[in-house]
Amino acid sequence: MTSEAFDAFAPNAIPDGVLVRSGRSTGRLAPGDLDILSAEERGRFAAFRDPVRAARFAAAHVELRRFLGQALGCAPAALRFDRHPCAGCGRAGHGRPYVRAPRTDWEFSFSRSGPYWLCAAAEAVRVGVDLERERAVDPSSLSPAILSADERRHLDSVPPEFRAAEFIRCWTRKEAVVKASGIGIEAALGEIDVRPGQLRAKVLHTVPGCEFDNWVVTDLPAGTDHFSAIAVPALAQRKYHVP
Ligand SMILES: [Zn+2]
């Protein structure tokens, strides 16, 4: 078995029209799994020195292809991926990923951490997901460059023993928003307030060339010691009334 499901998401955690799937790699690949991957993905798989990390990488990409193949009604191996130009600097290579073939208006987002993977897809709806492992926090990451004033106040209000976890949860929400907007690591993270005190919040984040500037970000339940979040344009959500 390539992968096992690690969580069933509560339906009310998933935005309207969005499909979400997640799992945990067993560290082993099934026969034929590598045939599903592109030559480029197989090249990246072969470049890993650690066979367990290689298998996790391949398993996650196989599962992403199965997930999107099912959503789009095509063979997983037939999918071709590309990236939009970066919304920050305009260069190719690190913008928002998209499905180039088959031609489709489905959007997707994908995240991986250790053995865990998470993907989301929606027809004509921007989506961003992030998955992060809980870990010790470098105090410099609590700087104004990364956290808004309100977020720092929120972290200060949390008992010290939970502060690192709360920071990672906040970071995960930011990553989901910037992945949906397409700017990635060039985003001015300190200016994005993801309101981590609320499970679900409306977030203002404006990126040049992006038609959306209001996002709904929601925590998704992840296994113990992991955090995950999903962001979609606020306009796409009729289901939630987010103040
Ligand atoms: Zn860029």
Side-chain angles (χ1 to χ4, degrees), residues 6 13 22 29 41 56 58 87 89 103-104 112 119 126 137 144 157 163 182 184 190 198 209 216 225 232-233 240:
F6 74 86
S22 65
L29 294 173
E41 289 160 342
R56 288 171 174 176
C89 66
R103 283 179 71 104
T104 178
R112 194 169 76 79
C119 39
R126 283 287 191 100
V137 171
S157 75
R163 209 161 281 159
Q198 300 167 33
V216 176
D225 74 9
V232 294
Y240 303 138

Side-chain angles (χ1 to χ4, degrees), residues 86-91 94 183 186:
C86 168
C89 66
R91 288 200 295 267
H94 60 274
I183 191 169
E186 290 155 52

